Amino acid sequence: MGSLDDLKQRIEALNGGPLREKPKPAVAQPTADATERRRSRTRRALLPETAPVPPAHSAPLPAATGWKRHFAEEDPEPVGFRSLTDLVRGEEALEPGWGGAWVVTQRARDLGEEGAALCSVFSEAIQRRGFGLSGKLHALCGGRDLAPEDFLFMDLETTGLSNLPVFLVGVMAWEGDSLVVRQYFARRYSEEPAITAAFRREAQSRRLIVTFNGKSFDMPFLRNRAATHGIPYEINLPHLDLLHESRRAWSRQLPNCKLQTLEASICRRRRVGDTPGSEIPGIYHAFVRTGDARRIAGVLKHNMLDLLTLAELLALLPP
């Protein structure tokens, strides 16, 4: 093989003349304005995010219920492997014919003064004739008045958006003197039939289902999963979807009617350290694979907060 000089001479002969070096592009020196803009972006990225001021609401709001930061603060994640029984107080429950699952029960009044305040707001609103949605609820239920114990709030956590396994069915109902959250959790994929059947049983003793986007998502989704497992699913209760009611009441005042937007602007509180919904399927798959419950405990808390927010929104909705 020839030297580099020989190779250069051949290329110049083919080129019909000496090769020209391509000039290097001049590097633009940043102006003072550009430098300051870059520093400003860096400072904004490093500063803690501040909550915007909630927009004005067209209807008067009741006095603050008080359950703000107590429920919203996220406990520090434990270090090292932790099992479900270490982090989540629950019990094994059997659905006859469909197997067992883990059930977590929490009375709202046991969550402190904030929980007691929420229970009072909800029960007083439902029992007060003429509260925001009383007319609509009366019509939905065939002209019959509703008591607090007639409501069944429901919220699902799933592994995807299209006929994939459900792993958590959260329900909430009035029992005695308190709202009670009951979460049916599938510790493995094979426990999905049990939690699906559990919701059917819960619904049999209530008169109205309350969800957030449940008409489009939760109820059809659970019906499909019941069909997959051959579970009878005769649930024909009236259904109040608070997403539709919130859009009717507040869509002109708010940028959107997502649940956490409503929490910030209508309930006047924000979650801190909450588990993002987009991460929930992956967190569950990791739990099934490893048994480490450190992050799944946050998913259960996320689901509980969703249910509690539904009760507050129901009480705050205007006519």
Side-chain angles (χ1 to χ4, degrees):
M1 180 179 292
S3 66
L4 290 177
D5 290 339
D6 292 338
L7 178 61
K8 181 178 179 181
Q9 290 174 4
R10 293 193 189 102
I11 294 175
E12 288 178 342
L14 292 172
N15 189 52
L19 298 177
R20 297 177 181 178
E21 292 186 5
K22 186 176 180 180
K24 296 182 179 180
V27 178
Q29 297 297 318
T31 65
D33 289 344
T35 302
E36 180 57 33
R37 285 197 299 271
R38 185 167 62 252
R39 289 173 178 170
S40 177
R41 287 196 299 268
T42 303
R43 285 195 296 268
R44 287 198 300 270
L46 295 175
L47 288 174
E49 185 178 350
T50 57
V53 176
H57 175 46
S58 59
L61 294 176
T65 60
W67 67 290
K68 304 302 178 187
R69 290 298 183 189
H70 182 79
F71 288 171
E73 295 290 352
E74 186 71 11
D75 297 329
E77 185 174 295
V79 178
F81 178 93
R82 299 295 294 274
S83 69
L84 183 66
T85 54
D86 287 339
L87 295 179
V88 181
R89 184 179 300 174
E91 60 183 357
E92 178 96 24
L94 182 68
E95 289 297 319
W98 304 108
W102 190 251
V103 183
V104 180
T105 303
Q106 179 69 65
R107 281 169 43 90
R109 285 195 183 275
D110 294 341
L111 295 170
E113 293 181 1
E114 297 87 350
L118 174 62
C119 290
S120 298
V121 167
F122 170 74
S123 62
E124 290 170 7
I126 299 306
Q127 296 177 77
R128 184 178 71 248
R129 291 185 180 276
F131 95 99
L133 289 185
S134 60
K136 179 152 194 167
L137 295 176
H138 191 266
L140 267 176
C141 295
R144 295 178 296 175
D145 292 330
L146 291 174
E149 57 268 18
D150 291 326
F151 292 78
L152 181 66
F153 297 88
M154 187 267 273
D155 185 54
L156 299 181
E157 304 299 339
T158 73
T159 55
L161 298 177
S162 179
N163 202 27
L164 292 170
V166 173
F167 68 87
L168 178 60
V169 180
V171 297
M172 183 174 69
W174 187 265
E175 298 179 10
D177 64 345
S178 178
L179 288 164
V180 176
V181 176
R182 192 166 285 109
Q183 296 170 294
Y184 296 93
F185 177 66
R187 296 162 294 183
R188 55 194 68 89
Y189 304 114
S190 60
E191 292 184 341
E192 185 189 22
I195 66 172
T196 305
F199 175 72
R200 181 189 63 170
R201 175 178 50 77
E202 289 273 3
Q204 290 173 350
S205 60
R206 307 296 171 179
R207 291 174 55 192
L208 177 72
I209 292 175
V210 183
T211 65
F212 192 85
N213 197 33
K215 284 187 176 180
S216 299
F217 182 76
D218 299 72
M219 291 299 287
F221 201 108
L222 205 55
R223 186 177 295 109
N224 288 339
R225 298 310 298 167
T228 297
H229 298 293
I231 300 172
Y233 199 74
E234 307 88 359
I235 299 177
N236 299 309
L237 294 177
H239 186 164
L240 180 70
D241 192 324
L242 292 180
L243 173 60
H244 300 167
E245 297 301 322
S246 297
R247 285 173 174 168
R248 174 188 60 78
W250 298 308
S251 61
R252 294 184 180 181
Q253 287 80 32
L254 302 179
N256 59 64
C257 284
K258 296 179 180 179
L259 189 61
Q260 293 200 18
T261 302
L262 295 168
E263 283 184 341
S265 300
I266 306 304
C267 302
R268 306 291 168 140
R269 58 186 168 79
R270 289 183 176 273
R271 299 188 191 186
V272 177
D274 185 45
T275 301
S278 60
E279 296 180 10
I280 287 176
I283 290 172
Y284 178 67
H285 291 312
F287 167 77
V288 172
R289 186 173 63 252
T290 67
D292 189 345
R294 285 176 295 171
R295 297 199 68 194
I296 207 68
V299 174
L300 288 162
K301 186 173 183 179
H302 169 95
N303 180 261
M304 181 187 73
L305 288 172
D306 283 354
L307 290 165
L308 293 168
T309 297
L310 295 188
E312 190 171 12
L313 285 176
L314 179 64
L316 294 178
L317 275 160

